[in-house]
Coordinates of all heavy atoms in Angstrom, one line a residue:
M27 N 12.2 -30.2 -31.0 CA 11.6 -29.0 -30.6 C 12.8 -28.0 -30.4 O 13.6 -28.2 -29.6 CB 10.8 -29.2 -29.3 CG 10.2 -27.9 -28.8 SD 9.3 -28.4 -27.2 CE 9.5 -26.9 -26.3
S28 N 12.6 -26.9 -31.0 CA 13.6 -25.8 -30.9 C 13.1 -24.6 -30.1 O 11.9 -24.2 -30.3 CB 14.2 -25.3 -32.2 OG 13.2 -24.6 -32.9
V29 N 13.8 -24.1 -29.3 CA 13.5 -22.8 -28.6 C 14.1 -21.7 -29.2 O 15.3 -21.5 -29.3 CB 14.0 -23.0 -27.1 CG1 13.6 -21.8 -26.3 CG2 13.5 -24.3 -26.4
K30 N 13.2 -20.9 -29.7 CA 13.6 -19.7 -30.5 C 13.8 -18.5 -29.7 O 14.4 -17.4 -30.1 CB 12.7 -19.4 -31.7 CG 12.9 -20.4 -32.8 CD 12.1 -20.2 -34.0 CE 12.4 -21.2 -35.1 NZ 11.4 -21.2 -36.2
A31 N 13.0 -18.4 -28.6 CA 13.0 -17.2 -27.7 C 14.4 -17.0 -27.3 O 15.2 -17.9 -26.8 CB 12.1 -17.4 -26.6
V32 N 14.8 -15.7 -27.4 CA 16.1 -15.3 -26.9 C 15.9 -14.6 -25.6 O 15.2 -13.6 -25.6 CB 17.0 -14.4 -27.9 CG1 18.2 -13.9 -27.2 CG2 17.1 -15.2 -29.2
L33 N 16.5 -15.1 -24.6 CA 16.3 -14.4 -23.3 C 17.4 -13.4 -23.0 O 18.6 -13.7 -23.2 CB 16.3 -15.5 -22.1 CG 15.2 -16.4 -22.1 CD1 15.3 -17.5 -21.1 CD2 13.8 -15.8 -21.9
R34 N 16.9 -12.2 -22.9 CA 17.9 -11.1 -22.6 C 17.8 -10.6 -21.2 O 16.6 -10.3 -20.8 CB 17.8 -9.9 -23.6 CG 17.9 -10.4 -25.0 CD 17.7 -9.2 -25.9 NE 18.7 -8.2 -25.6 CZ 18.4 -6.9 -25.9 NH1 17.4 -6.6 -26.5 NH2 19.4 -6.0 -25.7
F35 N 18.7 -10.6 -20.5 CA 18.7 -10.3 -19.1 C 19.1 -8.9 -18.9 O 20.3 -8.5 -19.0 CB 19.5 -11.2 -18.2 CG 19.0 -12.6 -18.3 CD1 19.5 -13.6 -19.1 CD2 18.0 -13.0 -17.5 CE1 19.1 -14.8 -19.2 CE2 17.5 -14.3 -17.5 CZ 18.1 -15.2 -18.4
V36 N 18.1 -8.0 -18.9 CA 18.4 -6.5 -18.6 C 18.0 -6.2 -17.2 O 16.9 -6.6 -16.7 CB 17.5 -5.8 -19.6 CG1 17.8 -4.3 -19.4 CG2 17.9 -6.1 -21.0
N37 N 18.8 -5.6 -16.6 CA 18.6 -5.2 -15.2 C 17.7 -3.9 -15.0 O 18.0 -2.9 -15.7 CB 19.8 -5.1 -14.3 CG 20.4 -6.4 -14.1 OD1 19.7 -7.4 -13.9 ND2 21.7 -6.5 -14.3
Y38 N 16.8 -3.9 -14.3 CA 16.0 -2.7 -14.0 C 16.1 -2.3 -12.6 O 16.2 -3.2 -11.7 CB 14.5 -2.9 -14.4 CG 14.2 -3.0 -15.9 CD1 14.3 -4.2 -16.5 CD2 14.0 -1.9 -16.6 CE1 14.2 -4.3 -17.9 CE2 13.8 -2.0 -18.0 CZ 13.9 -3.2 -18.6 OH 13.7 -3.3 -19.9
K39 N 16.1 -1.1 -12.3 CA 16.2 -0.5 -11.0 C 15.0 0.1 -10.6 O 14.4 1.0 -11.4 CB 17.5 0.5 -10.9 CG 17.9 0.8 -9.6 CD 19.2 1.8 -9.7 CE 18.7 3.1 -10.1 NZ 19.6 4.3 -9.9
I40 N 14.3 -0.3 -9.6 CA 13.1 0.3 -9.2 C 13.3 1.0 -7.8 O 13.9 0.6 -6.9 CB 12.1 -0.9 -8.9 CG1 11.8 -1.5 -10.1 CG2 10.8 -0.2 -8.3 CD1 10.9 -2.8 -10.0
T41 N 13.0 2.3 -7.9 CA 13.1 3.2 -6.7 C 11.9 3.9 -6.5 O 11.1 4.1 -7.4 CB 14.2 4.2 -6.9 OG1 14.0 5.0 -8.1 CG2 15.6 3.6 -7.0
R42 N 11.8 4.5 -5.2 CA 10.6 5.3 -4.9 C 10.6 6.6 -5.6 O 11.8 7.2 -5.5 CB 10.5 5.5 -3.5 CG 9.0 5.7 -2.9 CD 9.0 5.9 -1.4 NE 9.6 7.2 -1.1 CZ 9.0 8.4 -1.4 NH1 7.9 8.5 -1.9 NH2 9.7 9.5 -1.0
D43 N 9.6 7.0 -6.1 CA 9.5 8.3 -6.8 C 9.5 9.5 -5.7 O 8.5 9.5 -5.0 CB 8.3 8.5 -7.8 CG 8.3 9.8 -8.4 OD1 9.1 10.7 -8.2 OD2 7.3 10.0 -9.2
P44 N 10.5 10.3 -5.6 CA 10.5 11.3 -4.5 C 9.4 12.3 -4.8 O 9.0 13.1 -3.9 CB 11.9 11.8 -4.6 CG 12.5 11.5 -5.9 CD 11.8 10.2 -6.3
D45 N 8.9 12.5 -6.0 CA 7.8 13.5 -6.3 C 6.5 13.0 -6.1 O 5.5 13.7 -6.0 CB 8.0 13.9 -7.8 CG 9.3 14.7 -7.9 OD1 9.8 15.3 -7.0 OD2 9.8 14.6 -9.1
G46 N 6.4 11.6 -5.8 CA 5.1 11.0 -5.6 C 4.8 11.0 -4.2 O 5.6 10.8 -3.3
E47 N 3.5 11.2 -3.8 CA 3.1 11.3 -2.4 C 3.0 9.9 -1.7 O 2.5 8.9 -2.5 CB 1.8 12.0 -2.3 CG 1.5 12.4 -0.8 CD 0.1 13.1 -0.7 OE1 -0.8 13.0 -1.7 OE2 -0.1 13.5 0.4
K48 N 3.4 9.7 -0.6 CA 3.3 8.5 0.1 C 2.0 8.6 1.0 O 1.8 9.6 1.6 CB 4.4 8.1 1.1 CG 5.6 7.9 0.5 CD 6.8 7.7 1.4 CE 7.3 9.0 2.0 NZ 8.4 9.0 2.9
T49 N 1.1 7.7 0.9 CA -0.1 7.8 1.6 C -0.6 6.6 2.3 O -0.3 5.4 1.8 CB -1.4 8.2 0.5 OG1 -1.5 7.3 -0.4 CG2 -1.2 9.6 0.0
W50 N -1.3 6.7 3.4 CA -1.8 5.7 4.2 C -3.3 5.9 4.3 O -3.7 7.0 4.4 CB -1.3 5.7 5.6 CG 0.1 5.0 5.7 CD1 1.4 5.7 5.8 CD2 0.4 3.6 5.8 NE1 2.3 4.8 5.9 CE2 1.8 3.5 6.0 CE3 -0.4 2.5 5.9 CZ2 2.5 2.3 6.1 CZ3 0.4 1.3 6.1 CH2 1.7 1.2 6.1
R51 N -4.0 4.8 4.3 CA -5.4 4.9 4.9 C -5.7 3.5 5.6 O -5.0 2.5 5.4 CB -6.4 5.2 3.8 CG -6.7 4.1 2.9 CD -7.5 4.7 1.5 NE -7.2 3.9 0.4 CZ -7.9 2.9 0.0 NH1 -9.0 2.5 0.7 NH2 -7.6 2.2 -1.0
A52 N -6.7 3.5 6.5 CA -7.0 2.2 7.1 C -8.5 2.0 6.9 O -9.3 2.9 6.7 CB -6.7 2.5 8.6
R53 N -8.8 0.7 6.9 CA -10.2 0.2 6.8 C -10.5 -0.8 7.9 O -9.7 -1.7 8.0 CB -10.4 -0.4 5.3 CG -11.7 -0.8 5.0 CD -11.7 -1.1 3.5 NE -12.9 -1.8 3.2 CZ -13.1 -3.0 3.3 NH1 -12.1 -3.9 3.5 NH2 -14.3 -3.5 3.1
C54 N -11.6 -0.6 8.5 CA -12.0 -1.5 9.5 C -12.6 -2.7 8.9 O -13.5 -2.8 8.2 CB -12.9 -0.8 10.5 SG -13.5 -1.9 11.9
V55 N -12.0 -3.9 9.2 CA -12.4 -5.2 8.7 C -12.9 -6.0 9.9 O -13.0 -7.3 9.7 CB -11.3 -5.9 7.9 CG1 -10.9 -5.1 6.6 CG2 -10.1 -6.2 8.8
S56 N -13.4 -5.4 11.0 CA -13.9 -6.2 12.1 C -15.3 -6.6 11.8 O -16.0 -6.1 11.0 CB -13.9 -5.3 13.3 OG -12.6 -4.9 13.7
G57 N -15.7 -7.7 12.5 CA -17.0 -8.3 12.1 C -17.0 -9.7 11.7 O -16.1 -10.0 10.8
D58 N -17.9 -10.6 12.1 CA -17.9 -12.0 11.6 C -18.5 -12.1 10.3 O -17.9 -12.7 9.4 CB -18.5 -12.8 12.7 CG -17.7 -12.9 14.1 OD1 -16.4 -12.7 13.8 OD2 -18.2 -13.0 15.0
E59 N -19.7 -11.7 10.2 CA -20.5 -12.0 8.9 C -20.3 -10.9 8.0 O -20.0 -11.2 6.8 CB -22.0 -11.9 9.3 CG -22.4 -12.8 10.4 CD -22.9 -14.2 9.9 OE1 -23.8 -14.2 9.1 OE2 -22.3 -15.3 10.4
E60 N -20.2 -9.7 8.4 CA -20.1 -8.5 7.5 C -19.0 -7.6 8.1 O -19.0 -7.4 9.3 CB -21.4 -7.7 7.4 CG -22.1 -8.0 6.1 CD -23.3 -7.1 6.1 OE1 -23.2 -5.9 6.1 OE2 -24.4 -7.6 6.0
E61 N -18.1 -7.1 7.3 CA -17.1 -6.3 7.7 C -17.7 -4.9 8.0 O -18.6 -4.5 7.4 CB -16.0 -6.0 6.7 CG -15.2 -7.3 6.4 CD -14.1 -7.1 5.3 OE1 -14.1 -6.0 4.7 OE2 -13.3 -7.9 5.1
C62 N -17.1 -4.3 9.0 CA -17.6 -2.9 9.4 C -17.4 -2.0 8.2 O -18.3 -1.3 7.8 CB -16.8 -2.4 10.6 SG -16.9 -0.6 10.9
G63 N -16.2 -2.0 7.5 CA -16.1 -1.2 6.3 C -15.7 0.2 6.6 O -15.5 0.9 5.5
A64 N -15.7 0.7 7.8 CA -15.4 2.1 8.0 C -13.9 2.4 7.4 O -13.1 1.7 7.7 CB -15.5 2.5 9.5
E65 N -13.8 3.5 6.7 CA -12.4 3.8 6.2 C -12.1 5.2 6.7 O -12.8 6.2 6.7 CB -12.6 4.0 4.6 CG -12.2 2.5 4.0 CD -11.9 2.7 2.6 OE1 -11.4 3.6 2.2 OE2 -12.2 1.7 1.9
S66 N -10.8 5.3 7.0 CA -10.1 6.6 7.3 C -10.0 7.5 6.1 O -10.1 6.9 5.0 CB -8.8 6.4 8.0 OG -7.8 6.0 7.0
M67 N -9.9 8.7 6.2 CA -9.5 9.5 5.1 C -8.1 9.1 4.8 O -7.4 8.3 5.4 CB -9.6 11.0 5.5 CG -8.8 11.4 6.7 SD -9.0 13.2 7.1 CE -7.7 13.9 6.1
V68 N -7.5 9.7 3.6 CA -6.2 9.4 3.2 C -5.3 10.2 3.9 O -5.4 11.5 3.8 CB -6.2 9.4 1.6 CG1 -4.6 9.2 1.1 CG2 -7.0 8.4 1.0
F69 N -4.2 9.7 4.5 CA -3.2 10.6 5.2 C -1.9 10.4 4.4 O -1.4 9.4 4.1 CB -3.0 10.1 6.6 CG -4.1 10.1 7.5 CD1 -5.1 9.1 7.6 CD2 -4.4 11.3 8.2 CE1 -6.2 9.1 8.4 CE2 -5.5 11.4 9.1 CZ -6.4 10.3 9.1
G70 N -1.4 11.6 4.1 CA -0.1 11.7 3.5 C 1.0 11.7 4.6 O 1.1 12.6 5.3
S71 N 1.6 10.5 4.8 CA 2.5 10.4 6.0 C 3.3 9.2 5.8 O 3.1 8.2 5.0 CB 1.5 10.2 7.2 OG 2.1 9.3 8.1
D72 N 4.4 9.1 6.6 CA 5.3 7.9 6.6 C 4.7 6.8 7.5 O 5.1 5.7 7.4 CB 6.6 8.3 7.3 CG 7.4 9.1 6.2 OD1 7.3 9.0 4.9 OD2 8.3 9.9 6.7
D73 N 3.7 7.1 8.4 CA 3.2 6.2 9.3 C 1.7 5.9 9.1 O 1.0 6.8 8.6 CB 3.4 6.7 10.7 CG 4.9 7.0 11.0 OD1 5.7 6.1 10.7 OD2 5.2 8.1 11.3
P74 N 1.4 4.6 9.4 CA -0.1 4.4 9.3 C -1.0 5.2 10.2 O -0.4 5.8 11.2 CB -0.2 2.9 9.8 CG 1.2 2.5 9.9 CD 2.2 3.6 10.0
P75 N -2.2 5.5 9.9 CA -3.0 6.3 10.7 C -3.4 5.8 12.0 O -4.6 5.3 12.2 CB -4.2 6.6 9.8 CG -4.3 5.3 8.9 CD -2.9 4.9 8.8
A76 N -2.4 5.7 12.9 CA -2.7 5.1 14.3 C -3.8 5.8 15.0 O -4.6 5.1 15.7 CB -1.4 5.1 15.1
D77 N -3.8 7.1 14.9 CA -4.8 7.9 15.8 C -6.2 7.5 15.3 O -7.2 7.3 16.1 CB -4.6 9.4 15.5 CG -3.3 9.9 16.3 OD1 -2.8 9.0 16.9 OD2 -3.0 11.0 16.0
W78 N -6.4 7.5 14.0 CA -7.8 7.1 13.5 C -8.3 5.8 14.0 O -9.3 5.6 14.4 CB -7.8 7.2 12.0 CG -9.1 7.0 11.4 CD1 -10.2 7.8 11.3 CD2 -9.7 5.6 11.1 NE1 -11.3 7.2 10.8 CE2 -11.1 5.8 10.6 CE3 -9.1 4.3 11.0 CZ2 -11.9 4.9 10.2 CZ3 -10.0 3.3 10.5 CH2 -11.4 3.6 10.1
M79 N -7.3 4.8 13.9 CA -7.6 3.4 14.3 C -8.0 3.3 15.8 O -8.9 2.7 16.2 CB -6.5 2.5 13.9 CG -6.3 2.2 12.4 SD -5.1 1.0 11.9 CE -3.6 1.9 12.3
A80 N -7.0 4.0 16.6 CA -7.3 4.0 18.0 C -8.6 4.6 18.4 O -9.3 4.1 19.2 CB -6.1 4.8 18.7
E81 N -8.9 5.7 17.7 CA -10.3 6.3 18.0 C -11.4 5.5 17.6 O -12.4 5.4 18.3 CB -10.3 7.7 17.2 CG -11.3 8.6 17.7 CD -11.4 9.9 16.8 OE1 -10.3 10.4 16.5 OE2 -12.5 10.3 16.5
H82 N -11.3 4.8 16.4 CA -12.3 3.9 16.0 C -12.5 2.7 17.0 O -13.6 2.4 17.2 CB -12.0 3.4 14.5 CG -13.2 2.6 14.0 ND1 -14.3 3.2 13.4 CD2 -13.3 1.2 13.8 CE1 -15.0 2.2 13.1 NE2 -14.6 1.1 13.1
T83 N -11.3 2.2 17.5 CA -11.4 1.1 18.4 C -12.1 1.6 19.7 O -13.0 1.0 20.3 CB -10.1 0.5 18.8 OG1 -9.6 -0.1 17.5 CG2 -10.1 -0.5 19.7
A84 N -11.8 2.8 20.1 CA -12.3 3.3 21.3 C -13.8 3.5 21.2 O -14.5 3.3 22.3 CB -11.5 4.7 21.7
T85 N -14.3 4.0 20.1 CA -15.7 4.2 20.0 C -16.6 3.0 19.6 O -17.7 3.0 19.9 CB -16.0 5.4 19.0 OG1 -15.4 5.0 17.7 CG2 -15.4 6.7 19.5
T86 N -15.9 2.0 18.9 CA -16.7 0.9 18.4 C -16.3 -0.5 19.0 O -17.1 -1.5 19.0 CB -16.6 0.8 16.9 OG1 -15.2 0.4 16.6 CG2 -17.0 2.0 16.2
G87 N -15.1 -0.5 19.6 CA -14.5 -1.8 20.1 C -14.0 -2.7 19.0 O -13.6 -3.8 19.3
H88 N -14.1 -2.2 17.8 CA -13.5 -2.9 16.7 C -12.0 -2.9 16.7 O -11.3 -2.0 17.0 CB -13.9 -2.3 15.3 CG -15.4 -2.4 15.1 ND1 -16.0 -1.7 14.1 CD2 -16.3 -3.2 15.7 CE1 -17.4 -2.0 14.2 NE2 -17.5 -2.9 15.1
Q89 N -11.3 -4.1 16.4 CA -9.9 -4.2 16.7 C -9.1 -4.7 15.5 O -8.0 -4.9 15.6 CB -9.7 -5.1 17.8 CG -10.1 -4.6 19.1 CD -9.9 -5.6 20.3 OE1 -10.3 -6.7 20.3 NE2 -9.0 -5.2 21.2
R90 N -9.8 -4.9 14.2 CA -9.0 -5.4 13.2 C -9.1 -4.5 12.0 O -10.2 -4.1 11.6 CB -9.6 -6.8 12.9 CG -8.7 -7.6 11.8 CD -8.9 -9.0 12.0 NE -8.0 -9.7 11.0 CZ -8.3 -10.0 9.8 NH1 -9.5 -9.8 9.3 NH2 -7.3 -10.6 9.1
F91 N -7.9 -4.0 11.4 CA -8.0 -3.1 10.4 C -7.0 -3.6 9.3 O -6.1 -4.3 9.5 CB -7.4 -1.8 10.8 CG -8.2 -1.1 11.9 CD1 -8.0 -1.4 13.3 CD2 -9.2 -0.2 11.6 CE1 -8.8 -0.9 14.3 CE2 -10.0 0.4 12.5 CZ -9.8 0.1 13.9
Q92 N -7.4 -3.1 8.0 CA -6.5 -3.2 6.9 C -5.8 -2.0 6.7 O -6.4 -1.0 6.7 CB -7.3 -3.7 5.7 CG -6.5 -3.8 4.4 CD -7.4 -4.1 3.1 OE1 -8.5 -3.7 3.1 NE2 -6.8 -4.8 2.2
R93 N -4.5 -2.0 6.6 CA -3.7 -0.8 6.4 C -3.3 -0.8 4.9 O -2.7 -1.7 4.4 CB -2.5 -0.8 7.3 CG -2.8 -0.9 8.8 CD -1.7 -0.7 9.7 NE -0.6 -1.6 9.5 CZ 0.4 -1.6 10.3 NH1 0.6 -0.8 11.2 NH2 1.3 -2.6 10.1
I94 N -3.6 0.3 4.2 CA -3.4 0.4 2.8 C -2.4 1.4 2.6 O -2.7 2.7 2.9 CB -4.8 0.6 2.1 CG1 -5.7 -0.4 2.4 CG2 -4.4 0.7 0.6 CD1 -7.1 0.0 2.4
Y95 N -1.2 1.1 2.1 CA -0.1 2.0 1.7 C 0.0 2.2 0.3 O 0.0 1.2 -0.4 CB 1.1 1.6 2.4 CG 2.3 2.3 2.2 CD1 2.6 3.5 2.8 CD2 3.4 1.9 1.3 CE1 3.6 4.3 2.4 CE2 4.5 2.6 1.1 CZ 4.6 3.8 1.6 OH 5.7 4.6 1.4
E96 N 0.2 3.4 -0.2 CA 0.5 3.6 -1.6 C 1.6 4.6 -1.7 O 1.7 5.5 -1.0 CB -0.7 4.3 -2.3 CG -1.9 3.2 -2.4 CD -3.1 3.8 -3.1 OE1 -3.1 5.1 -3.3 OE2 -4.0 3.1 -3.5
D97 N 2.5 4.3 -2.8 CA 3.4 5.3 -3.1 C 3.7 5.0 -4.6 O 3.1 4.4 -5.3 CB 4.8 5.0 -2.2 CG 5.6 3.8 -2.6 OD1 5.0 3.0 -3.4 OD2 6.7 3.6 -2.0
Y98 N 4.7 5.8 -5.1 CA 5.0 5.7 -6.5 C 6.4 5.2 -6.7 O 7.3 5.5 -6.0 CB 4.8 7.1 -7.2 CG 3.5 7.6 -7.1 CD1 2.8 8.2 -6.0 CD2 2.6 7.6 -8.3 CE1 1.5 8.6 -6.0 CE2 1.3 8.0 -8.3 CZ 0.8 8.5 -7.1 OH -0.5 8.9 -7.1
A99 N 6.5 4.5 -7.8 CA 7.8 3.8 -8.1 C 8.3 4.3 -9.5 O 7.5 4.6 -10.4 CB 7.8 2.4 -8.1
L100 N 9.6 4.4 -9.6 CA 10.3 4.7 -10.9 C 11.1 3.4 -11.3 O 11.8 2.9 -10.5 CB 11.2 6.0 -10.7 CG 10.6 7.2 -10.4 CD1 11.7 8.3 -10.2 CD2 9.7 7.7 -11.6
V101 N 10.9 3.0 -12.6 CA 11.6 1.9 -13.1 C 12.6 2.4 -14.1 O 12.2 3.2 -15.1 CB 10.7 0.9 -13.7 CG1 11.5 -0.3 -14.2 CG2 9.6 0.4 -12.7
E102 N 13.8 2.2 -13.9 CA 14.9 2.7 -14.8 C 15.7 1.4 -15.3 O 16.0 0.6 -14.5 CB 15.8 3.7 -14.2 CG 15.2 5.0 -13.9 CD 16.1 5.8 -13.0 OE1 16.3 5.4 -11.9 OE2 16.6 6.9 -13.5
K103 N 16.1 1.5 -16.6 CA 17.0 0.5 -17.0 C 18.4 0.7 -16.4 O 18.9 1.8 -16.5 CB 17.2 0.6 -18.5 CG 17.2 -0.7 -19.2 CD 17.2 -0.4 -20.7 CE 16.4 -1.5 -21.5 NZ 16.5 -1.3 -22.9
A104 N 19.0 -0.2 -15.7 CA 20.2 0.0 -15.1 C 21.4 -0.1 -16.2 O 21.2 -0.9 -17.1 CB 20.5 -1.1 -14.1
E105 N 22.3 0.7 -16.1 CA 23.3 0.8 -17.1 C 24.3 -0.5 -16.9 O 24.5 -0.8 -15.9 CB 24.2 2.0 -16.9 CG 23.4 3.3 -17.1 CD 22.9 3.4 -18.5 OE1 23.4 2.8 -19.5 OE2 21.7 3.9 -18.6
Ligands
ZN1 ZN1 -15.3 -0.7 12.6

């Protein structure tokens, strides 16, 4: 059995796209049978939407959230 595939090791550099917006949103996943499912709006920010979560906990008693972070990446071939 011969292996014909030639493995080429090319390095790629992945960086955050400074032109892309960083966004956070939070989703309430509290509840045993069914998740609450309440979602915050999307916040363009470096930090998770702590105020929204605190307010939701204060009004509902729910204490478990999924924090969803999105940003953009650039992939470049390293020289
Ligand atoms: Zn909730």
Side-chain angles (χ1 to χ4, degrees):
M27 179 181 143
S28 67
V29 178
K30 284 183 179 166
V32 177
L33 294 175
R34 298 181 61 205
F35 295 96
V36 179
N37 290 320
Y38 289 89
K39 196 177 72 165
I40 301 174
T41 54
R42 202 184 71 72
D43 181 357
D45 295 332
E47 196 186 9
K48 295 177 279 184
T49 56
W50 279 99
R51 71 193 152 91
R53 183 166 169 274
C54 179
V55 293
S56 300
D58 293 330
E59 308 263 307
E60 255 181 65
E61 289 180 356
C62 164
E65 270 195 30
S66 73
M67 55 185 273
V68 175
F69 296 91
S71 143
D72 286 332
D73 302 306
D77 290 351
W78 183 86
M79 291 188 285
E81 197 182 317
H82 188 75
T83 298
T85 56
T86 63
H88 295 166
Q89 291 180 299
R90 191 157 182 269
F91 297 86
Q92 178 183 28
R93 302 190 299 183
I94 303 146
Y95 175 73
E96 290 183 348
D97 71 355
Y98 292 81
L100 295 172
V101 181
E102 294 167 294
K103 224 179 217 181
E105 296 304 323

